[in-house]
Amino acid sequence: MALLETKSLTKSFGALTAVDGVSLAVEAGALHSIIGPNGAGKTTLFNLLTGTFAPSSGDILLDGRRITGTPAHRVAHLGIARSFQRTNVFPALSLLDNVWIAAFARSPSWSGLLWRHTERDPELVSTARRALADVGLAGKADQPARTISHGEQRQLELAIALAAAPRVLLLDEPAAGLSPEETRRMVALVRSLKGRYTIVLIEHKMDIIMSVSDRISVMHFGRLIAEGTPAEIQRDPEVRRAYLGGVAA
Amino acid sequence: MGHILHGLSLRVAEGEVVAMLGRNGAGKTTTLRCITGLNPPRRGEIRYQGRSIAGAPPHRIARMGIALVPETRDIFSYLTVKENLVIAQRARSRWRMETVLGRFPKLAERLANKGRELSGGEQQMLAIARALLTGPELLLLDEPSQGLAPLVVNAVMDTIRGLKAERVSMLLVEQNAEMALQLADRVYVIDHGTVVFEGTPAALRAERQVTATYLGVGG
């Protein structure tokens, strides 16, 4: 059963149609990757799914229910979390605070916000610590985010998304800027999340895509040009012409 | 904050492509920023064509013929692609608008778009194109392939090979170790702010322990 679905989803910015009639079905518990040339509309698709942009036309369904037009802050409460292509953490806050904010924002009750300023719900703190541990940053929990390296900030990005306890994880190039060793760690982490979460992944590193994906959709000029298993996509001549054929990163 | 670099010594000969590999946080970007004058070094020397440049202001270093493609891209978000390129053009540069647009056709499609309207990968291409238009003699590239589709990575590699044929010297930081090893004449591996390996790509491939970490082989 498709947990997340789009029906002819379209987004135009003036004369530019960034996402053009995209119909996608992501099965619950699956890892579905979106690949395609730069400027193909992948991140814009994510922005539509998270409610950051309203679509020009088409629909988004979560669990069979229409969520099209739901604003971003409500989409987060529906259980869709994302990480960003450009690292989007709070540089002056500690890693723990960065992650705790996400856990707190998703907690059902905001009562006590005023009188609990010096102490915190231990359950939320442990959710935050667990998310940091999941990405291997537990040891740096109290450091300000700006003091950790770029690669570690990418990992923090992912921890923030995890702390929001989503059902659907949209990961936008989580391995960007990571060393081979850190990439291996990130891949292992993403693999460990499979099944527990429904994951939609944008990446350019083909070895990652091919090894973790259940299904791959290929975007080009805003449209879906191919969809299938990793083996099918690798063989597809149009995909090879438009996108592949480089040095595997 | 403590020192990031600890007695790091390296050299780039004229016409050489030198790669710097290493974990994030190892000091690679900091090294490039020291060279370009964005982070003056606390101690030590930086000599370019025999002249000391450590601590010189960045604009003066740029005029000497050193260009940087930063990891953060840093293109002008409110200027169009065309404007970003036009202001970078130097009279002495053999690279002109037509040549860079030929290398990165996607940029030609987006000439009228402002920098902030570009996708991440398009911004990356613009950052590279812009550096080329300054006609550098020493080109510093900080993870130029990051976020680029495989076909575009090819275009970047071709560009680097083309620059090498023109005797442009290059210092390349890359996480795509395979790409770096295919292009480089020599490789440094940096860890905790210092050099832990120096040699040819072939020599690095032969170092099993180092390759396990930096090439993702085994492990």
Side-chain angles (χ1 to χ4, degrees), chain A residues 16 37-39 85-86 149-151 173 176-182 184 204 221 241-249, chain B residues 23-25 71-72 106 109-110 119-123 143 146-152 154 157 175-176 212-214 216:
Chain A
L16 171 69
N38 300 108
Q85 195 183 72
R86 286 199 83 150
S149 71
H150 173 69
E173 298 189 38
L178 298 188
S179 70
E181 189 189 324
E182 290 164 338
R184 261 203 306 281
H204 287 294
F221 292 120
R241 203 181 332 115
Y243 180 65
L244 295 171
V247 179
Chain B
R23 273 180 250 269
N24 279 302
E71 188 180 8
T72 45
K106 193 72 189 179
E109 290 168 33
R110 313 281 266 142
S119 74
E122 290 164 345
Q123 290 186 5
E143 305 210 22
Q146 190 182 133
L148 294 184
L151 272 182
V152 188
N154 267 0
M157 291 179 72
Q175 295 291 15
N176 182 343
T213 313
Y214 295 104

Side-chain angles (χ1 to χ4, degrees), chain B residues 15-36:
Chain B
E16 247 195 335
V17 176
V18 174
M20 275 204 284
L21 305 179
R23 273 180 250 269
N24 279 302
K28 310 184 299 297
T29 296
T30 304
T31 302
L32 296 187
R33 288 177 65 89
C34 281
I35 296 169
T36 53

Side-chain angles (χ1 to χ4, degrees), chain B residues 3-62:
Chain B
H3 294 285
I4 292 166
L5 301 180
H6 304 275
L8 190 147
S9 300
L10 59 78
R11 93 201 122 75
V12 182
E14 197 187 334
E16 247 195 335
V17 176
V18 174
M20 275 204 284
L21 305 179
R23 273 180 250 269
N24 279 302
K28 310 184 299 297
T29 296
T30 304
T31 302
L32 296 187
R33 288 177 65 89
C34 281
I35 296 169
T36 53
L38 294 169
N39 269 134
R42 187 118 22 132
R43 261 207 307 274
E45 274 209 328
I46 306 175
R47 301 187 78 80
Y48 176 64
Q49 295 180 338
R51 263 140 73 224
S52 172
I53 62 168
H59 67 276
R60 201 129 44 79
I61 294 175

Side-chain angles (χ1 to χ4, degrees), chain B residues 16-214:
Chain B
E16 247 195 335
V17 176
V18 174
M20 275 204 284
L21 305 179
R23 273 180 250 269
N24 279 302
K28 310 184 299 297
T29 296
T30 304
T31 302
L32 296 187
R33 288 177 65 89
C34 281
I35 296 169
T36 53
L38 294 169
N39 269 134
R42 187 118 22 132
R43 261 207 307 274
E45 274 209 328
I46 306 175
R47 301 187 78 80
Y48 176 64
Q49 295 180 338
R51 263 140 73 224
S52 172
I53 62 168
H59 67 276
R60 201 129 44 79
I61 294 175
R63 286 197 195 126
M64 290 178 198
I66 300 178
L68 171 68
V69 181
E71 188 180 8
T72 45
R73 289 120 195 216
D74 297 340
I75 53 137
F76 295 112
S77 53
Y78 284 88
L79 298 185
T80 64
V81 169
K82 184 163 183 201
E83 287 164 345
N84 267 277
L85 294 175
V86 164
I87 63 177
Q89 183 76 67
R90 292 287 172 272
R92 63 158 181 242
S93 173
R94 268 164 302 191
W95 288 81
R96 318 303 296 187
M97 192 86 86
E98 309 83 60
T99 16
V100 301
L101 294 180
R103 278 286 175 193
F104 303 111
K106 193 72 189 179
L107 290 181
E109 290 168 33
R110 313 281 266 142
L111 275 179
N113 288 105
K114 296 209 192 319
R116 68 171 185 275
E117 294 164 7
L118 301 185
S119 74
E122 290 164 345
Q123 290 186 5
Q124 181 71 302
M125 288 183 237
L126 180 56
I128 297 170
R130 179 180 64 169
L132 296 173
L133 290 178
T134 65
E137 287 169 16
L138 172 63
L139 181 59
L140 311 174
L141 302 119
D142 201 349
E143 305 210 22
S145 81
Q146 190 182 133
L148 294 184
L151 272 182
V152 188
V153 173
N154 267 0
V156 172
M157 291 179 72
D158 283 340
T159 303
I160 291 175
R161 287 187 193 107
L163 289 168
K164 190 169 147 95
E166 291 169 21
R167 300 281 292 163
V168 174
S169 317
M170 281 168 276
L171 184 51
L172 170 68
V173 170
E174 253 302 334
Q175 295 291 15
N176 182 343
E178 196 47 52
M179 171 186 170
L181 292 180
Q182 284 188 27
L183 294 169
D185 298 304
R186 277 186 310 116
V187 180
Y188 291 91
V189 179
I190 315 285
D191 201 30
H192 287 107
T194 195
V195 173
V196 298
F197 175 90
E198 180 191 340
T200 62
L204 176 57
R205 287 189 202 272
E207 289 274 326
R208 314 233 86 240
Q209 228 207 39
V210 187
T211 53
T213 313
Y214 295 104

Side-chain angles (χ1 to χ4, degrees), chain A residues 8-14 16-22 44-45 48 52-57:
Chain A
S8 293
L9 198 57
T10 299
K11 178 64 180 176
S12 298
F13 300 100
L16 171 69
T17 303
V19 175
D20 194 353
V22 169
T44 306
L45 178 63
L48 292 171
T52 307
F53 295 153
S56 305
S57 65

Side-chain angles (χ1 to χ4, degrees), chain A residues 112-227:
Chain A
L113 174 62
L114 293 177
W115 57 264
R116 275 221 196 148
H117 62 280
T118 50
E119 64 177 67
R120 289 165 169 186
D121 184 334
E123 207 180 294
L124 288 183
V125 175
S126 84
T127 300
R129 286 202 186 275
R130 216 176 325 123
L132 280 181
D134 270 344
V135 304
L137 286 174
K140 305 201 175 187
D142 298 317
Q143 275 183 234
R146 64 165 180 264
T147 63
I148 61 177
S149 71
H150 173 69
E152 288 167 330
Q153 287 184 4
R154 299 301 290 143
Q155 292 160 248
L156 178 60
E157 267 292 295
L158 184 46
I160 291 172
L162 290 176
R167 283 189 292 168
V168 181
L169 263 176
L170 306 177
L171 304 179
D172 199 348
E173 298 189 38
L178 298 188
S179 70
E181 189 189 324
E182 290 164 338
T183 301
R184 261 203 306 281
R185 260 257 221 70
M186 177 64 80
V187 171
L189 172 59
V190 171
R191 249 206 219 98
S192 75
L193 301 173
K194 271 178 84 155
R196 280 197 273 153
Y197 301 88
T198 301
I199 301 172
V200 188
L201 172 69
I202 295 175
E203 249 309 332
H204 287 294
K205 298 187 180 180
M206 280 304 106
D207 51 353
I208 301 178
I209 293 283
M210 295 302 165
S211 71
V212 303
S213 309
D214 296 311
R215 209 143 178 84
I216 300 174
S217 294
V218 187
M219 282 185 78
H220 194 31
F221 292 120
R223 271 178 249 120
L224 281 186
I225 64 167
E227 191 179 302

